[in-house]
Amino acid sequence: MFSSQSRQLLSSQLRRLQSTLVIAEHNNETLLPITQNTLTAAKKIGGDISVLVAGTKCGPAAELVAKAGGISKVLVAESDAFKGFTAESLTPLILATQKQFNFTHIVAPASAIGKAVLPRVAAKLDVSPISDIIGVKDANTFVRTIYAGNAVLTLEAKDPIKVITVRGTAFPPEPLEGGSAAVEKAPEGDYKTDLVEWLSQEITKSDRPELTSAKNIVSGGRGLKSGDNFKLLYDLADKLNAAVGASRAAVDAGFVPNDLQIGQTGKIVAPDLYIAVGISGAIQHLAGMKDSKTIVAINKDPEAPIFQVSDYGLVADLFKAVPELTQKL
Amino acid sequence: MSRVLVGVKRVIDYAVKVRVKPDKSGVVTDGVKHSMNPFDEIAVEEAVRMKEKKLAKEVIAVSCGPPQAQETLRTALAMGADRAIHVEVTGPEYETMQPIHVAKILSKLTQDEKADLVIVGKQAIDDDSNQTAQMTAALLDWPQGTFASKVEKTDAGLTITREIDGGLETIKAKVPAVLSADLRLNEPRYATLPNIMKAKKKPLKKVTAKDLGVDLAPRIKVVSVEDPPVRQAGSIIPDVDTLVAKLKEGGHV
């Protein structure tokens, strides 16, 4: 018989064999880019990687993600039960998958879906989830920001299963090439929930690049004064092939829809170029954009805090400076 | 719905620029202005509005933390909550307390108090976790309406508009349920002086996690808390031409 000590030793050796389940984010039409960033984080954790694709139509996303290198398998769960990607239907699927394969890590993008689903999964596993990581030190040690990005916390997770969401902008995207993972069926079960019913969605339509993965972003704040004036930013954005974002003030004032909000409680972005127009630079806004490579601020108030983080600051009336900039580019 | 439980957290005020402790063990909290987590104000407001619309009979505010958490509870009472429960957690246990602990406490209290709706803020602005509502819903096996920007009572339950990445979505949830409040759910009211005075007389019960049978054993070890990298100071440029030149130089255009 094993003594309890040797059993502990054995289990700690087994634990060293990491295996990670990555929850793919897709929209039933294609894989979303943030899944690729999440794969990079999963690879940093080390060990064997499986990817779960769940939805009402999984074929295209599963096919794409199977091409990523270093993945051992892609598990597919296609069912009407996953309409709207509700946490109430995805959680039992992830739990069933976990039960069959005993992963040491369950990882998803820190998107609206990942943030809604993973804590629910973690509670069912009785483990403490780790939100929005920006770094992986080792299989148990992770880096994340707290206090709106004003402090960086390095933590060691003590739970046996690590349930993690990943900040996409903190990890480069894993290319979808060189791999040919096997596509298998995820564990079957009755995942239909009667707790919630997904009714509809209202997605903001735009021809511009998606905010969280755009190379350039032009962002407007209260200084724009009205929703109509955002046209100035759209014109500039067209010249730069940029996405358009906004501060909370601009969203609350009804200038633009809420999904354009950048900041602690909106989207976290880190483009090559961020042009902040008529944005003062409150702590909560800076939390969402201060990792941008180059920051340009256009503001008429020379004391605006945004100038403390901007690489190039232009103290000027935006209603003159922005059209001039658009014209000269 | 009969009873609404609202979770409120005392955090460093949102306008304070936090400072990291020199020994890297955390941020400086002594002598720093604290207030109710802004998302929790929205949660309390929503619960009080439900009561005003006669959708709920009673609103119970709950906070986990050191004795000062009672100030936060008094604020909730002044906003219109009927009574409060303070779950006292102090010292090292408070330092390592995570949303999973809070979710266990909230779900236990929800059952004890026979509440059928739990509302919390979508995230606390100190740890930025965004987990408590989801975990509470999981422990109770209730539906979750996270990042809610609109909640309407219907015969069958609740119709909830949620803020998602591309825009908004609408779901129908059965009651009992757990909601997390997003910024645009409502505009929280200010507590008036007469209401602050009245709040002092409202009942506030004190319990411990142990009373509730919740184990607060740490789930994480804080390795370090550090300042974020500092950005190099930039420059103020004189005109748009210079900006265009700089953007070209940087390869942005």
Side-chain angles (χ1 to χ4, degrees):
Chain A
M1 278 287 112
F2 290 129
S3 71
S4 77
Q5 208 181 359
S6 68
R7 227 180 297 148
Q8 252 174 11
L9 190 71
L10 186 68
S11 78
S12 82
Q13 278 168 338
L14 284 174
R15 261 207 295 276
R16 254 177 249 148
L17 301 170
Q18 311 293 345
S19 62
T20 298
L21 178 68
V22 174
I23 316 295
E25 177 126 358
H26 69 115
N27 56 9
N28 293 317
E29 284 166 19
T30 190
L31 191 72
L32 296 186
I34 195 166
T35 305
Q36 293 171 252
N37 309 92
T38 307
L39 280 174
T40 304
K43 285 197 165 175
K44 283 198 146 186
I45 292 167
D48 184 67
I49 296 174
S50 307
V51 180
L52 176 64
V53 183
T56 53
K57 187 167 179 281
C58 304
E63 220 170 273
L64 272 170
V65 79
K67 289 184 187 152
I71 295 175
S72 52
K73 59 179 172 292
V74 177
L75 299 162
V76 173
E78 190 171 287
S79 159
D80 283 343
F82 306 122
K83 190 177 163 195
F85 302 103
T86 63
E88 292 80 352
S89 63
L90 289 172
T91 300
L93 166 69
I94 296 169
L95 293 173
T97 311
Q98 170 65 20
K99 199 173 169 199
Q100 183 170 338
F101 298 101
N102 289 309
F103 299 102
T104 55
H105 295 71
I106 301 175
V107 178
S111 60
I113 293 173
K115 286 175 185 174
V117 177
L118 258 61
R120 194 171 174 108
V121 171
K124 289 287 185 195
L125 296 169
D126 194 18
V127 304
S128 177
I130 305 154
S131 296
D132 218 2
I133 61 161
I134 61 166
V136 176
K137 295 251 169 163
D138 61 42
N140 304 319
T141 315
F142 306 96
V143 185
R144 57 184 302 268
T145 64
I146 51 177
Y147 291 95
N150 287 296
V152 179
L153 165 70
T154 304
L155 67 92
E156 195 186 308
K158 290 170 172 281
D159 286 314
I161 307 166
K162 279 78 181 166
V163 175
I164 297 165
T165 59
V166 174
R167 181 175 298 180
T169 56
F171 298 89
E174 179 70 25
L176 299 175
E177 58 192 32
S180 55
V183 178
E184 301 168 18
K185 269 195 167 178
E188 302 212 26
D190 181 15
Y191 304 121
K192 211 157 172 60
T193 175
D194 63 351
L195 295 175
V196 292
E197 186 191 338
W198 183 88
L199 296 179
S200 64
Q201 62 179 21
E202 213 179 292
I203 296 296
T204 310
K205 286 201 174 66
S206 167
D207 301 331
R208 293 195 175 75
E210 198 269 320
L211 202 49
T212 48
S213 53
K215 271 187 73 174
N216 298 332
I217 294 176
V218 179
S219 197
R222 200 195 303 272
L224 267 293
K225 294 203 173 88
S226 78
D228 291 342
N229 290 335
F230 258 76
K231 180 162 190 318
L232 295 175
L233 302 193
Y234 290 126
D235 292 342
L236 175 58
D238 287 342
K239 280 279 170 90
L240 292 162
N241 188 29
V244 172
S247 69
R248 180 188 165 189
V251 174
D252 283 353
F255 300 171
V256 289
N258 63 289
D259 56 297
L260 298 193
Q261 185 182 325
I262 291 167
Q264 183 183 20
T265 63
K267 300 218 164 60
I268 312 271
V269 299
D272 285 348
L273 175 66
Y274 188 89
I275 304 184
V277 180
I279 292 176
S280 64
I283 296 172
Q284 290 77 12
H285 185 73
L286 301 183
M289 47 64 79
K290 67 181 177 184
D291 292 329
S292 305
K293 278 207 192 86
T294 301
I295 299 174
V296 173
I298 301 175
N299 203 301
K300 65 180 177 193
D301 175 11
E303 304 295 322
I306 191 80
F307 288 125
Q308 287 162 24
V309 299
S310 63
D311 300 279
Y312 305 114
L314 182 61
V315 181
D317 179 357
L318 71 93
F319 294 103
K320 288 195 190 111
V322 173
E324 191 185 339
L325 179 60
T326 307
Q327 187 230 318
K328 285 181 174 166
L329 284 174
Chain B
M1 293 177 293
S2 58
R3 223 167 261 135
V4 184
L5 196 86
V6 189
V8 293
K9 184 176 186 182
R10 175 181 179 264
V11 298
I12 292 183
D13 190 85
Y14 74 95
V16 171
K17 175 98 176 73
V18 296
R19 280 183 304 130
V20 169
K21 285 185 192 167
D23 69 357
K24 296 183 180 177
S25 65
V27 303
V28 177
T29 55
D30 288 345
V32 174
K33 187 187 176 196
H34 283 67
S35 27
M36 189 190 293
N37 177 43
F39 290 98
D40 301 347
E41 290 183 15
I42 298 170
V44 173
E45 176 67 32
E46 195 65 19
V48 172
R49 286 186 192 187
M50 284 178 176
K51 200 186 147 192
E52 287 168 348
K53 284 186 221 155
K54 311 260 185 257
L55 297 174
K57 286 200 188 82
E58 191 184 30
V59 176
I60 309 166
V62 178
S63 192
C64 309
Q68 296 94 319
Q70 293 188 11
E71 295 159 20
T72 307
L73 287 170
R74 290 288 171 202
T75 306
L77 293 170
M79 287 174 74
D82 297 288
R83 57 190 174 94
I85 302 172
H86 174 213
V87 184
E88 188 163 7
V89 184
T90 53
E93 279 189 331
Y94 184 61
E95 302 286 316
T96 55
M97 188 158 81
Q98 295 281 301
I100 188 170
H101 302 118
V102 178
K104 285 184 176 184
I105 290 169
L106 289 181
S107 60
K108 179 68 171 51
L109 283 172
T110 300
Q111 290 164 329
D112 289 355
E113 301 290 339
K114 299 191 171 49
D116 46 17
L117 190 68
V118 178
I119 314 180
V120 296
K122 86 159 172 183
Q123 77 193 61
I125 59 165
D126 52 1
D127 63 25
D128 282 333
S129 287
N130 192 335
Q131 298 169 353
T132 302
Q134 297 87 315
M135 301 189 88
T136 306
L139 296 171
L140 291 164
D141 267 318
W142 289 2
Q144 60 186 54
T146 43
F147 328 142
S149 62
K150 195 172 165 194
V151 179
E152 283 174 315
K153 178 84 180 79
T154 55
D155 290 342
L158 296 170
T159 303
I160 303 158
T161 305
R162 302 182 57 231
E163 301 206 359
I164 56 166
D165 289 335
L168 298 169
E169 74 173 22
T170 309
I171 60 166
K172 211 161 76 183
K174 279 193 175 168
V175 177
V178 179
L179 304 178
S180 80
D182 214 320
L183 280 174
R184 280 161 282 274
L185 182 58
N186 60 49
E187 187 81 40
R189 72 194 64 189
Y190 288 104
T192 60
L193 189 60
N195 284 341
I196 292 170
M197 300 309 286
K198 271 185 227 161
K200 289 185 178 167
K201 298 202 180 87
K202 289 186 179 176
L204 191 154
K205 185 167 85 176
K206 209 167 100 175
V207 296
T208 64
K210 210 175 154 199
D211 297 336
L212 301 170
V214 175
D215 178 10
L216 296 180
R219 301 305 188 96
I220 65 156
K221 184 179 138 199
V222 174
V223 177
S224 69
V225 175
E226 294 174 60
D227 281 312
V230 184
R231 281 191 82 91
Q232 281 221 315
S235 56
I236 296 292
I237 48 170
D239 50 33
V240 171
D241 288 323
T242 316
L243 178 55
V244 172
K246 293 283 186 194
L247 291 181
K248 283 185 175 155
E249 213 175 283
H252 296 295
V253 286

